Amino acid sequence: MRKLLSYWNQNKRKILITIAVIALVIIIIQIANAMVKEQNKKDSNNQIGKNIVANDITKPSEAVVSNDKLTEKETKENSDFIEQFVNYCNQHKIEEAYNLLTDDCKAELYPTKEIFTSNYVNQIFGEQVNYELQLWYTASNCYTYRITYNKGNLLQTGGQASTGNFLDYITLIKQNGEYKLNINKFIHKEALNKQGSNEGVEVTISSKSIYVDYEIYHMTVQNNTQKTILLNDGTNANNFSLIGTNNSTFSSDISELSVSSLTLDAQYRKAIEIKFNKMYISASKTQILQMNNVYLDKQQYDTKQEEPQKITIKINL
């Protein structure tokens, strides 16, 4: 004990200076750590803010396919309208959401609110969803968006799709200053009123329904002959085809139709719908609908005669 007191008395100044230095170092380290944490927090917040501005996933302004750029007003109006539709669906306000659809979309896909509810709202909005938009294509006041409905928190999932998410293409149409929406990959319907005939068989195309990856042509066929005719035997998808610019050809999905639906009795008229495998973004402009190998006497076809009489009908579009 005497030795410790003696050491203290002899070195008191040095010991106190050492303790003070150590305490000062500890204080400096703590202050530095606090400053680093605060700066990291600020940097993180700034980065989040930048990401939100740079990756606004609900307000795209540039079309990926057509490369068109929307004005700030168009971007806001379009995005706000789609947001309103999604909010109505999330809240299961069926009538309000249904009223935002075009008449063509209702007629094509959802003729009643009940069908819209069961085939769209209940399929996607069983729980609250967020969404991500990508402006895909614009043409003549039609704005087609690729929309991904994401279940869960986008900040947690990063907007990445999962097995529970749903991808759709929706098209915003502005007519007479009013917005309406086409959904479920339906783009729009276009009136045609085009005609073609050959050997007493008349074809009138009233309109076509355009979807993201196919088109449906609505037509009536009048058989003015005295025999039963067969429009297509279903053996070749190119028997019905669309001819476009640069000699491009788009085949039909004729396998969906039965032979009986393509058979017309003498002096008989029939309405038919033909689906063609033409994507909306195709650069080729359709010029002709061509119907090859139309049998003018189905009995000849049924009896396997070697040279049944066949014709081709072309309708200029």
Side-chain angles (χ1 to χ4, degrees), residues 61-70 74 78 82 102 104 134-146 169-176 178-182 186-190 210 280-281:
S61 59
E62 185 171 352
V64 175
V65 177
S66 60
N67 294 322
D68 297 308
K69 291 185 178 180
L70 305 187
E74 286 175 319
N78 291 7
I82 294 171
T102 68
D104 285 338
Q134 181 183 61
L135 181 57
W136 197 57
Y137 197 87
T138 67
S140 302
N141 288 323
C142 291
Y143 308 88
T144 299
Y145 290 84
R146 181 182 187 268
Y169 288 85
I170 61 177
T171 298
L172 195 64
I173 294 180
K174 190 173 184 179
Q175 296 176 331
N176 300 320
E178 183 180 19
Y179 282 112
K180 290 291 184 178
L181 198 62
N182 290 326
F186 174 56
I187 305 298
H188 65 89
K189 193 170 185 177
E190 180 179 328
I210 302 171
Y280 179 54
I281 62 172

Side-chain angles (χ1 to χ4, degrees), residues 15-264:
I15 293 173
L16 291 175
I17 292 174
T18 301
I19 292 173
V21 169
I22 293 173
L24 181 61
V25 169
I26 292 173
I27 292 171
I28 292 173
I29 291 174
Q30 290 177 339
I31 293 173
N33 286 337
M35 293 175 64
V36 169
K37 288 180 180 180
E38 184 64 24
Q39 186 61 43
N40 288 339
K41 184 178 180 180
K42 289 181 180 179
D43 291 343
S44 178
N45 290 338
N46 289 338
Q47 187 60 42
I48 291 173
K50 290 178 181 178
N51 288 340
I52 291 174
V53 173
N55 302 305
D56 195 336
I57 57 178
T58 62
K59 293 179 172 60
S61 59
E62 185 171 352
V64 175
V65 177
S66 60
N67 294 322
D68 297 308
K69 291 185 178 180
L70 305 187
T71 65
E72 185 176 345
K73 180 182 178 182
E74 286 175 319
T75 301
K76 184 180 187 307
E77 289 181 349
N78 291 7
S79 301
D80 287 350
F81 189 86
I82 294 171
E83 182 181 12
Q84 184 180 38
F85 174 75
V86 174
N87 286 340
Y88 283 153
C89 291
N90 264 328
Q91 298 165 23
H92 280 232
K93 293 184 176 180
I94 303 303
E95 184 169 358
E96 290 85 344
Y98 189 70
N99 288 338
L100 298 184
L101 303 182
T102 68
D103 291 339
D104 285 338
C105 185
K106 293 174 184 177
E108 286 273 325
L109 300 172
Y110 310 109
T112 67
K113 291 192 290 288
E114 290 73 23
I115 293 176
F116 169 64
T117 302
S118 61
N119 291 356
Y120 197 82
V121 177
N122 289 348
Q123 298 297 319
I124 302 172
F125 300 91
E127 61 183 76
Q128 291 286 303
V129 300
N130 293 285
Y131 66 97
E132 178 179 355
L133 281 181
Q134 181 183 61
L135 181 57
W136 197 57
Y137 197 87
T138 67
S140 302
N141 288 323
C142 291
Y143 308 88
T144 299
Y145 290 84
R146 181 182 187 268
I147 185 168
T148 305
Y149 295 106
N150 297 290
K151 295 182 180 180
N153 191 320
L154 281 182
L155 294 179
Q156 295 174 352
T157 64
Q160 298 301 313
S162 71
T163 55
N165 294 339
F166 187 88
L167 173 66
D168 192 10
Y169 288 85
I170 61 177
T171 298
L172 195 64
I173 294 180
K174 190 173 184 179
Q175 296 176 331
N176 300 320
E178 183 180 19
Y179 282 112
K180 290 291 184 178
L181 198 62
N182 290 326
I183 60 176
N184 204 5
K185 299 185 178 182
F186 174 56
I187 305 298
H188 65 89
K189 193 170 185 177
E190 180 179 328
L192 292 176
N193 298 317
K194 303 294 183 179
Q195 295 180 330
S197 63
N198 193 6
E199 296 290 339
V201 182
E202 298 179 359
V203 179
T204 300
I205 303 173
S206 59
S207 61
K208 66 176 178 179
S209 299
I210 302 171
Y211 288 77
V212 169
D213 44 12
Y214 61 88
E215 294 181 352
I216 297 176
Y217 280 71
H218 309 277
M219 62 182 74
T220 57
V221 183
Q222 174 71 45
N223 179 11
N224 294 318
T225 74
Q226 299 304 314
K227 297 180 179 180
T228 299
I229 66 173
L230 178 62
L231 296 174
N232 195 310
D233 62 6
T235 60
N236 188 339
N238 285 321
N239 279 346
F240 286 174
S241 60
L242 297 176
I243 311 300
T245 52
N246 301 320
N247 294 319
S248 55
T249 301
F250 305 94
S251 63
S252 64
D253 203 349
I254 201 65
S255 61
E256 295 185 354
L257 298 176
S258 64
V259 172
S260 61
S261 68
L262 296 169
T263 301
L264 276 80

